[in-house]
Amino acid sequence: MNDDIDLLVLGGGSGGIACARRAARYGAKVAVVESGLLGGTCVNVGCVPKKLMWHAAQLAHAAADAEGYGFDRLEPRLNWTGLVTRREAYLRRLNGIYQHNLESDDVAIIAGQGRFVDAHTVAVAGRQLRAQRILIATGSRPLWPALPGTELGTDSNGFFALTRQPRRVTLVGSGYIAVELAGMMRALGSQVSLLLRRDSVLNHFDPMLGEILCDEMHAAGIELHFRSQVQSVRREGSELFITTDTAGELASEVLIWAIGREPNTTGLELSAAGLDLGAKGEIVVDKFQVTSQPHIFAVGDVSGAPELTPVAIAAGRRLADRIFGGQDERRLDYGLIPSVVFSHPPIGTVGLSEPQARARYGEQVRVYESRFKSLYTSLLEEKVQSAVKLVVEGPQERIVGLHTIGPGSDEMLQGFAVALAMGATKRDFDDTIAIHPTASEELVTLN
């Protein structure tokens, strides 16, 4: 391969594969360079295995709830090895499907770590490849702190490598990864501690969501240590001892760092290509995903975009549409991105939080909110909280933010996100007939 490559993609994850396949369907000659398993973080150590573990945790919840619905008390035992074996077998099938799909679209797959030699040349696996255009879609990686004993912990990648279920787990972080792992591990029977630097979780989300989730995590038996930072970690036998500034010393079998992620640019030698980086190490791009070199592009986490698989996919496909499909203005608008947190209970959110809306629209903002217990919990002794919130602006009460927490929030959000993308108002919701009895009806009956 040499100059006849129309598009060379660095990274075989969601964004890179989406762009590569669409470009190939337009007739471009495309190659994908990947040093690991196809599918990237999402398929291998992210969305997919995480959701499978979440389903297992939901089954544990259902078993605990069954007695409230008249069943004999259920006390199932989790076979962690069996769960992990079946999970990993499914993921390997997905890797094969990704390879098959790329080959079906005549996309070349090159195994190895790519690095720039110059702005048009990438070295990989002992070869030098030149391409007219290059896409960087190498994703992100977990952050680790710099303190004594850091290496004794693991990260979200390492969580999926656990071969047995730990009795005690300590997580450090307050973002979506931390609360998801904490919730599923507690539901599956582990004792869980969560160390947070601040007073709540999910600090970049609407405050209502973090407030209720903290209450529910505490009710589930998760130890929450607010305003607490790790100072050092040491091992004695099979135990880790985690020294903190406010919570004393915690003993744990497993310590998981979940303090954020950073753009994965290691080994790319971006300076050889003359690319500009931002303050957090992300590759700087414009609204069309173009870097400081007009023929080099970046999509997904590596460009500082929201760390969501559908965002990377959408950006990659639109980029191919623009470059090879003749759609000159085609690009992703990052202004209204729906997302779900697979916590316990789950969260769905799209648009502006209440503080963000007030900062942007001031006195024009009005908030509609409802807190309730879903019908599912009516026969149970332990009742999970649910809540919905609409944030509207202006005399027409255009909806600029929608936030939900509680059972079903993950599945209900997608349709409401479509409504917001179409500019729905509070009156539009009011004029929609409610579906009863559901949690989603709360969003069209707010007053």
Side-chain angles (χ1 to χ4, degrees), residues 420-433:
L420 265 65
M422 297 176 69
T425 65
K426 176 65 166 56
R427 179 65 179 270
D428 293 325
F429 276 33
D430 293 341
D431 288 343
T432 301
I433 300 299

Side-chain angles (χ1 to χ4, degrees), residues 253-269:
E253 289 182 44
V254 172
L255 168 65
I256 301 176
W257 304 113
I259 59 175
R261 298 178 67 83
E262 62 183 349
N264 188 21
T265 58
T266 300
L268 291 178
E269 302 290 347

Side-chain angles (χ1 to χ4, degrees), residues 187-244:
L188 293 174
S190 297
Q191 295 298 315
V192 178
S193 298
L194 182 61
L195 297 169
L196 310 93
R197 289 187 303 168
R198 300 178 184 173
D199 294 320
S200 187
V201 296
L202 303 177
N203 295 288
H204 298 297
F205 290 68
D206 190 272
M208 176 192 78
L209 303 174
E211 173 195 338
I212 293 177
L213 183 57
C214 280
D215 289 343
E216 291 303 315
M217 294 175 77
H218 177 74
I222 296 174
E223 294 182 1
L224 299 172
H225 298 280
F226 299 107
R227 293 194 170 276
S228 184
Q229 297 194 60
V230 177
Q231 296 180 320
S232 64
V233 185
R234 61 186 175 85
R235 178 184 292 280
E236 291 186 10
S238 61
E239 293 279 288
L240 298 179
F241 292 90
I242 303 149
T243 302
T244 72

Side-chain angles (χ1 to χ4, degrees), residues 284-401:
V284 176
V285 296
D286 66 12
K287 65 181 182 180
F288 290 105
Q289 312 297 149
V290 182
T291 69
S292 50
Q293 294 281 6
H295 66 285
I296 301 178
F297 314 91
V299 300
D301 297 4
V302 77
S303 67
E307 296 168 352
L308 297 166
T309 294
V311 169
I313 291 172
R317 287 175 176 168
R318 285 162 174 74
L319 177 63
D321 290 339
R322 184 174 68 81
I323 298 174
F324 299 105
Q327 303 175 46
D328 294 342
E329 297 301 314
R330 185 74 162 148
R331 65 182 180 87
L332 177 61
D333 181 356
Y334 291 93
L336 197 64
I337 304 295
S339 64
V340 165
V341 180
F342 289 101
S343 48
H344 298 265
I347 286 170
T349 181
V350 58
L352 302 177
S353 68
E354 182 179 344
Q356 289 171 335
R358 293 195 185 281
R360 181 176 299 186
Y361 298 109
E363 295 300 319
Q364 298 185 74
V365 171
R366 185 174 180 183
V367 172
Y368 297 87
E369 183 177 336
S370 173
R371 300 191 181 202
F372 57 97
K373 306 288 175 51
S374 72
L375 183 62
Y376 174 79
T377 68
S378 60
L379 303 184
L380 306 179
E381 291 185 10
E382 297 181 3
K383 303 186 188 305
V384 176
Q385 296 183 71
S386 292
V388 298
K389 176 188 279 191
L390 290 182
V391 183
V392 305
E393 66 86 18
Q396 299 299 315
E397 293 197 317
R398 179 174 65 93
I399 302 171
V400 296

Side-chain angles (χ1 to χ4, degrees), residues 11-311:
S14 301
I17 288 177
C19 185
R21 293 186 64 197
R22 182 155 294 188
R25 291 180 180 183
Y26 282 124
K29 187 169 183 178
V30 183
V32 170
V33 174
E34 173 55 57
S35 60
L37 296 170
L38 291 173
T41 296
C42 177
V43 168
N44 297 293
V45 288
C47 320
V48 177
K50 177 266 300 288
K51 186 66 180 290
L52 292 173
M53 298 299 286
W54 186 81
H55 282 312
Q58 290 298 93
L59 288 171
H61 282 305
D65 294 343
E67 192 173 10
Y69 276 86
F71 291 89
D72 291 339
R73 184 174 181 82
L74 303 178
E75 296 183 354
R77 290 193 305 167
L78 173 64
N79 181 339
W80 180 274
T81 301
L83 170 60
V84 170
T85 299
R86 293 175 68 85
R87 185 193 73 201
E88 293 304 300
Y90 175 69
L91 299 185
R92 299 295 80 78
R93 289 198 295 273
L94 289 183
N95 297 143
I97 290 171
Y98 273 84
Q99 178 173 342
H100 172 77
N101 289 341
L102 286 169
E103 292 172 347
S104 295
D105 286 327
D106 293 325
V107 175
I109 304 170
I110 303 171
Q113 170 67 51
R115 63 175 180 83
F116 281 93
V117 176
D118 56 45
H120 277 279
T121 309
V122 171
V124 57
R127 305 158 64 184
Q128 291 200 353
L129 309 175
R130 288 186 59 83
Q132 296 179 27
R133 298 177 180 87
I134 299 172
L135 170 64
I136 305 171
T138 48
S140 61
R141 63 189 178 197
L143 276 169
W144 286 59
L147 50 83
T150 290
E151 73 283 354
L152 297 174
T154 187
D155 54 26
S156 55
N157 292 358
F159 167 79
F160 293 108
L162 293 176
T163 57
R164 65 179 183 85
Q165 181 179 7
R167 291 178 292 110
R168 293 192 302 279
V169 180
T170 299
L171 293 110
V172 181
S174 61
Y176 72 96
I177 294 174
V179 300
E180 288 178 340
L181 295 184
M184 69 177 63
M185 290 305 292
R186 182 67 192 120
L188 293 174
S190 297
Q191 295 298 315
V192 178
S193 298
L194 182 61
L195 297 169
L196 310 93
R197 289 187 303 168
R198 300 178 184 173
D199 294 320
S200 187
V201 296
L202 303 177
N203 295 288
H204 298 297
F205 290 68
D206 190 272
M208 176 192 78
L209 303 174
E211 173 195 338
I212 293 177
L213 183 57
C214 280
D215 289 343
E216 291 303 315
M217 294 175 77
H218 177 74
I222 296 174
E223 294 182 1
L224 299 172
H225 298 280
F226 299 107
R227 293 194 170 276
S228 184
Q229 297 194 60
V230 177
Q231 296 180 320
S232 64
V233 185
R234 61 186 175 85
R235 178 184 292 280
E236 291 186 10
S238 61
E239 293 279 288
L240 298 179
F241 292 90
I242 303 149
T243 302
T244 72
D245 55 354
T246 61
E249 188 173 69
L250 305 178
S252 187
E253 289 182 44
V254 172
L255 168 65
I256 301 176
W257 304 113
I259 59 175
R261 298 178 67 83
E262 62 183 349
N264 188 21
T265 58
T266 300
L268 291 178
E269 302 290 347
L270 297 179
S271 59
L275 298 181
D276 293 337
L277 299 181
K280 296 182 178 180
E282 77 278 12
I283 299 174
V284 176
V285 296
D286 66 12
K287 65 181 182 180
F288 290 105
Q289 312 297 149
V290 182
T291 69
S292 50
Q293 294 281 6
H295 66 285
I296 301 178
F297 314 91
V299 300
D301 297 4
V302 77
S303 67
E307 296 168 352
L308 297 166
T309 294
V311 169

